[in-house]
C-alpha cells in the first residue's frame, strides 16, 4: 500500500514537472520567421509581431492583428522594398482581406522609410505635422550624417540606397501636442507625445486593451548603454519626458523599443538611467 502511494505521488509530481517544463518552453520559444537575410518577423505573443529590419542597423517596427479584419502597424522597415516584403508575407500568411492602419512615430528613416510602399497600396499613415515639417527641413542633414557612418566596401549597398532616398510624409497628420485616440477594429489606440526625447517629434503608441507600449527610439533596450545618435533631439528634456510618459500610462505590461528586444516597463527606467549618464559625461 505504501509503495503504491509513493508511486502515485511520484507519477503526479512527474506529470506536474512535465506540464510546467512544457509551459516554460512555449514561453521562451518565440516564433521567428527569417523572411530575408535582413528581415525577421517575431511573434512575441499571440497576434503581436515585431519586424526587425537590419539595414545595416537592426530597427524594429510592430504590427498587431487586432481582429479578423484589422491590422495596426507602427513604424516601418527602412525601405519601401523591405516594407513590400512584409506586406506580401502578411497577405500570404495572415490574409489578404485585412485593413491596415500605419502610424509613424518620428521622421527618421527607421520610422517611415517604407511610407512610399504603404501609399502605393492605399494604406492610411498617421503621423504628426511636426514629423512632416522635420522631413522637409532636417532629413537631408540627418541622412548625410548617416552616410558618413557607412564608409567602406562592405557598406556599398546601403550607400546606394540611402544616397538619394526619397521620403514620403504621413498622409493623415495631427497636432503633436494633442493625444490621438483611434479606434482600429474594436480596439482603442492612443498616440501620445510626452515631449522632446531622441528627436523632437518622437511619439509613443499605447494599446490599452493589451497594456502594450510601442516606445520606438524614445525607449532603449536593456542592453543599450549609450543613447546613440541624439543630435536631432534634446538630452536635457528626454528624462523629463519619460517621467511624463510614466504618469500618462500607469499600466504597461510590455514595451517595444525602436532597437533591440522588447521588455517590461523597466525599459523606461533603464532609458532614464542611460540618458542621465550621458548628461553627466
Amino acid at each position: 500500500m505504501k509503495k503504491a502511494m509513493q508511486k502515485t505521488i511520484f507519477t503526479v509530481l512527474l506529470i506536474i514537472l512535465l506540464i510546467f517544463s512544457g509551459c516554460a518552453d512555449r514561453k521562451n520559444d518565440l516564433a521567428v520567421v527569417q523572411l530575408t537575410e535582413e528581415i525577421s518577423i517575431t511573434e512575441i505573443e499571440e497576434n503581436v509581431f515585431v519586424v526587425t529590419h537590419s539595414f545595416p542597423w537592426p530597427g524594429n517596427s510592430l504590427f498587431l492583428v487586432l481582429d479578423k479584419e484589422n491590422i495596426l502597424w507602427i513604424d516601418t522597415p527602412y525601405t519601401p522594398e523591405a516594407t513590400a516584403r512584409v506586406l506580401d508575407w502578411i497577405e500570404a500568411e495572415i490574409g489578404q482581406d485585412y485593413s491596415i492602419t500605419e502610424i509613424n512615430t518620428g521622421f527618421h528613416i527607421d520610422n517611415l522609410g517604407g511610407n512610399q510602399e504603404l501609399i502605393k497600396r492605399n494604406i492610411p499613415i498617421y503621423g504628426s505635422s511636426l514629423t512632416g515639417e522635420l522631413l522637409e527641413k532636417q532629413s537631408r542633414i540627418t541622412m548625410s550624417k548617416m552616410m558618413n557612418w557607412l564608409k567602406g566596401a562592405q557598406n556599398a549597398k546601403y550607400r546606394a540606397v540611402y544616397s538619394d532616398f526619397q521620403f514620403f510624409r504621413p498622409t493623415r497628420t495631427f497636432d503633436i501636442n494633442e493625444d490621438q485616440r483611434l479606434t482600429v477594429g474594436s480596439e482603442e489606440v492612443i498616440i501620445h507625445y510626452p515631449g522632446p526625447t531622441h528627436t523632437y517629434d518622437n511619439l509613443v503608441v499605447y494599446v490599452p486593451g493589451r497594456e502594450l507600449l510601442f516606445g520606438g527610439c524614445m525607449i532603449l533596450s536593456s542592453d543599450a548603454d549609450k543613447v546613440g545618435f541624439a543630435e536631432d533631439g534634446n538630452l536635457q528634456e528626454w528624462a523629463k519626458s519619460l517621467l511624463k510618459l510614466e504618469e500618462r500610462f500607469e499600466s504597461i505590461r510590455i514595451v517595444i523599443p525602436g532597437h533591440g528586444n522588447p521588455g517590461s516597463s523597466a525599459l523606461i527606467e533603464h532609458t532614464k538611467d542611460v540618458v542621465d549618464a550621458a548628461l553627466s559625461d
Side-chain angles (χ1 to χ4, degrees):
M1 181 72 178
K2 185 176 180 181
K3 288 184 179 180
M5 181 65 71
Q6 290 175 335
K7 185 177 181 180
T8 301
I9 292 172
F10 175 79
T11 302
V12 170
L13 290 173
L14 180 61
I15 291 171
I16 291 172
L17 178 63
L18 289 172
I19 290 172
F20 277 96
S21 296
C23 290
D25 288 343
R26 284 194 296 272
K27 183 177 179 181
N28 294 320
D29 185 19
L30 299 178
V32 181
V33 175
Q34 195 66 44
L35 197 56
T36 70
E37 183 180 353
E38 297 158 345
I39 307 168
S40 65
I41 301 175
T42 305
E43 188 171 16
I44 60 172
E45 58 184 46
E46 187 176 9
N47 292 327
V48 179
F49 300 84
V50 172
V51 179
T52 302
H53 185 205
S54 302
F55 204 78
W57 309 281
N60 295 334
S61 61
L62 176 80
F63 72 86
L64 300 88
V65 182
L66 300 178
D67 52 37
K68 294 181 179 179
E69 298 178 346
N70 294 278
I71 289 175
L72 173 68
W73 198 355
I74 309 169
D75 283 351
T76 76
Y78 286 94
T79 65
E81 294 76 15
T83 302
R85 292 296 297 265
V86 176
L87 288 168
D88 291 344
W89 182 85
I90 289 173
E91 289 186 1
E93 301 297 329
I94 297 176
Q96 298 182 3
D97 298 326
Y98 282 87
S99 174
I100 299 176
T101 299
E102 162 69 25
I103 300 172
N104 293 160
T105 67
F107 82 96
H108 281 175
I109 193 169
D110 52 354
N111 305 133
L112 46 62
N115 277 4
Q116 181 180 16
E117 183 64 25
L118 299 175
I119 292 170
K120 177 181 174 182
R121 301 195 190 204
N122 297 313
I123 293 171
I125 306 169
Y126 287 84
S128 75
S129 54
L130 180 57
T131 291
E133 293 171 14
L134 289 171
L135 269 181
E136 298 293 332
K137 297 176 181 178
Q138 186 64 29
S139 62
R140 289 301 163 198
I141 298 171
T142 301
M143 291 296 286
S144 67
K145 293 176 181 177
M146 191 171 78
M147 292 291 287
N148 289 330
W149 308 331
L150 295 171
K151 296 178 180 179
Q154 72 276 15
N155 290 316
K157 71 174 179 178
Y158 308 120
R159 292 198 304 273
V161 172
Y162 292 146
S163 61
D164 192 27
F165 194 86
Q166 187 174 4
F167 285 95
F168 288 78
R169 297 164 67 120
T171 57
R172 300 188 181 183
T173 58
F174 51 82
D175 184 338
I176 197 169
N177 294 304
E178 298 178 2
D179 274 10
Q180 302 299 303
R181 292 178 177 269
L182 308 179
T183 300
V184 184
S186 59
E187 294 208 41
E188 181 184 25
V189 177
I190 302 172
I191 306 172
H192 177 66
Y193 177 66
T197 54
H198 167 73
T199 65
Y200 278 91
D201 69 328
N202 269 167
L203 305 165
V204 298
V205 180
Y206 182 65
V207 185
R210 300 166 186 254
E211 297 182 330
L212 180 149
L213 181 82
F214 182 85
C217 297
M218 184 184 302
I219 305 299
L220 303 174
S221 65
S222 61
D223 60 352
D225 57 4
K226 296 185 183 300
V227 296
F229 178 73
E231 293 179 26
D232 289 336
N234 188 320
L235 274 178
Q236 285 71 27
E237 294 296 319
W238 194 335
K240 298 176 186 177
S241 297
L242 292 176
L243 286 171
K244 294 176 184 177
L245 176 62
E246 290 178 312
E247 292 172 359
R248 178 65 181 84
F249 302 116
E250 295 182 356
S251 298
I252 300 175
R253 181 177 57 86
I254 185 168
V255 177
I256 293 86
H259 306 272
N261 293 326
S264 69
S265 59
L267 291 185
I268 301 174
E269 290 298 323
H270 169 68
T271 303
K272 283 193 291 188
D273 291 341
V274 175
V275 170
D276 287 341
L279 286 169
S280 64
D281 285 346

